[in-house]
Amino acid sequence: GHVCLLDLADQTYPGSEGRSDIGWPTWTVPVLRWAKEQGGVTGYPHSDMRVDPAGAAAELLKRLDLNLSNGIDRGEADYPLLPMTFDEIEVDEDGVLTEAELIMACDRAGNELPNLVLPAMNGAGAMEIFVAVNEGVCDFNSAMDTGRIGEWNTWYHIMNCGYPLKISGETDFPCMSSTRVGQGRVYVRLADGPVDRVDFGEWCDGVAAGRSYVSDGFAHALEFAVNDVRPGDGDVTLESPGSVTVNATVSFAEEVPIAVSHGTLSTDEGRREVGDTRVLHAPRQDGTVVGGDRLIELIVNGEVAASQVVPADGEEHALTWDVPIDKSSWVALRQFPQLHTNPVNVILAGEPIRASQASALWCAACVELCWTNRNQFISEAERPAAEEAYQRAVARYLEIAAEGE
């Protein structure tokens, strides 16, 4: 996998002699740890690990088809990571989930946000992010460059486990986003007023703290706060269940390019590819979409808690919601696929965020699948340490699942 290493004091990994072809680890966690030890800021790019419906269905059969019948009956289906309910998956009503039915269900569910379809875990940059956050060496996940659902889905599940992962923007230019730098952006708040100059170190610290939002450059969350606390400025604390007040100011450009990356052009691959710049989904064009409405969604633990429609008119629009909180939660603002803020955590009675048992089990399954697919690419000398870190991650996610709902 690729990594993002910001604000390094030393860019030469020990033993690499300043070269890219020798001396570097064959898995990512040691690289991130080296960067953190020198005060750097770390993350992963290309975070849509992509849904492979056939592969996800095969993984479900391997885990659940205990009687080797090439199907999953109701007695075998007590598994939190089925992509849909048994009855939603079973279309022929024969009491068994066949491979074909599972493939169709994974394909449909993979277009929803959030979803529980296991990603392919065989190519994207962020595959080891589940291990890295557990080791405490990953600050952020990059987004706004690959399929939006896959990017945000991984981030949601990790935050549902209580890890303080932030989101940043990325442009892989010219490899993927071949039109321009700035296809995917992060806007970092450096001060409450104008600044004379941008200090790169302070900017990197803002990325790590989450004092920011990501967008495609045509959508903006000028303000976002929960009980007057903005992202990166600490937590909201509650002693007992109650409501929090969310205030936001958003603005959307009146004119947006026609492209999959901006959500103004559909794609044959399905909704999960919206936002992608990985491939050219249609012939290039210079056209734009003018005006229209944007659905602003308030997200609590990955689910929509409230929403409001605003016009794309270049004007600022103020939004206010009162939202009930009955357990420790993270709260953020989004407009799919153009905009997402970093979260504000609301901590209830000092308890950690344990938003979803299924999220923790999904993360554990991703770690296991990543190890199965990728361990042979880790050098023999490094493999024991890597396996220990992977096992620590699986064990921790299972502990979190036991603590969740």
Side-chain angles (χ1 to χ4, degrees):
H2 295 171
V3 292
C4 299
L5 310 175
L6 306 181
D7 205 23
L8 298 184
D10 179 5
Q11 298 193 37
T12 302
Y13 192 85
S16 69
E17 301 176 8
R19 295 169 56 176
S20 62
D21 59 338
I22 62 170
W24 288 84
T26 54
W27 61 303
T28 61
V29 169
V31 180
L32 300 182
R33 181 173 289 115
W34 164 72
K36 293 294 291 179
E37 286 172 350
Q38 58 178 290
V41 174
T42 61
Y44 286 90
H46 320 332
S47 57
D48 176 14
M49 288 171 285
R50 312 206 66 217
V51 167
D52 170 19
E59 187 68 18
L60 287 169
L61 284 169
K62 184 174 72 173
R63 289 172 177 266
L64 299 180
D65 182 19
L66 302 180
N67 60 13
L68 303 180
S69 65
N70 294 320
I72 300 170
D73 59 39
R74 287 188 183 273
E76 297 171 318
D78 184 18
Y79 183 56
L81 299 187
L82 280 179
M84 298 176 173
T85 68
F86 191 99
D87 291 332
E88 289 172 326
I89 298 172
E90 187 195 25
V91 295
D92 60 9
E93 300 183 355
D94 65 351
V96 175
L97 305 183
T98 65
E99 183 176 18
E101 289 172 329
L102 289 168
I103 290 173
M104 288 190 293
C106 290
D107 187 39
R108 294 197 309 272
N111 288 319
E112 301 300 321
L113 180 66
N115 69 74
L116 293 171
V117 182
L118 285 183
M121 302 302 291
N122 62 9
M127 291 184 295
E128 284 185 340
I129 192 169
F130 306 98
V131 181
V133 295
N134 188 61
E135 295 292 305
V137 296
C138 180
D139 295 306
F140 66 86
N141 203 20
S142 295
M144 312 306 293
D145 196 34
T146 47
R148 201 69 70 242
I149 284 179
E151 292 175 343
W152 294 355
N153 192 57
T154 294
W155 183 43
Y156 285 6
H157 286 308
I158 290 174
M159 288 195 295
N160 279 351
C161 295
Y163 291 101
L165 184 67
K166 309 308 179 187
I167 199 168
S168 186
E170 73 165 334
T171 302
D172 189 349
F173 177 86
C175 300
M176 290 161 55
S177 302
S178 60
T179 55
R180 61 183 172 88
V181 174
Q183 187 76 43
R185 306 183 181 193
V186 57
Y187 293 87
V188 180
R189 174 170 46 85
L190 296 177
D192 289 332
V195 294
D196 295 330
R197 59 182 294 273
V198 175
D199 181 272
F200 182 65
E202 291 180 4
W203 184 88
C204 290
D205 290 342
V207 169
R211 292 191 291 271
S212 58
Y213 64 90
V214 296
S215 94
D216 64 351
F218 295 88
H220 297 280
L222 304 172
E223 290 290 343
F224 172 69
V226 180
N227 280 9
D228 295 325
V229 176
R230 295 183 292 189
D233 285 352
D235 299 334
V236 173
T237 58
L238 299 178
E239 293 302 318
S240 59
S243 291
V244 294
T245 299
V246 177
N247 290 296
T249 302
V250 299
S251 181
F252 293 86
E254 187 175 10
E255 214 171 328
V256 181
I258 297 175
V260 170
S261 57
H262 301 287
T264 53
L265 185 67
S266 60
T267 169
D268 293 338
E269 292 90 340
R271 184 170 177 258
R272 61 180 171 268
E273 295 298 333
V274 170
D276 180 52
T277 67
R278 177 181 47 87
V279 298
L280 186 62
H281 293 269
R284 296 194 190 280
Q285 54 182 292
D286 297 325
T288 60
V289 174
V290 178
D293 293 326
R294 301 290 185 267
L295 177 64
I296 314 303
E297 296 174 309
L298 186 66
I299 308 302
V300 177
N301 297 334
E303 303 290 346
V304 178
S307 63
Q308 187 169 331
V309 174
V310 302
D313 56 6
E315 301 295 325
E316 296 183 12
H317 298 276
L319 308 172
T320 300
W321 293 283
D322 288 321
V323 181
I325 300 293
D326 60 3
K327 61 183 177 182
S328 292
S329 304
W330 59 268
V331 181
L333 195 74
R334 81 177 182 209
Q335 186 274 326
F336 184 89
Q338 291 184 269
L339 170 72
H340 213 302
T341 71
N342 268 295
V344 174
N345 290 341
V346 181
I347 303 302
L348 178 59
E351 294 295 322
I353 293 175
R354 297 290 184 263
S356 167
Q357 182 186 61
S359 287
L361 294 174
W362 185 87
C363 291
C366 286
V367 175
E368 292 169 339
L369 183 57
C370 187
W371 180 256
T372 298
N373 291 347
R374 306 298 296 177
N375 77 85
Q376 68 270 27
F377 297 103
I378 300 174
S379 72
E380 187 174 348
E382 295 176 278
R383 205 172 297 154
E387 185 172 13
E388 289 178 4
Y390 272 69
Q391 290 176 346
R392 280 195 299 271
V394 171
R396 183 60 185 138
Y397 286 118
L398 295 180
E399 288 177 356
I400 292 171
E403 297 167 1
E405 297 181 358

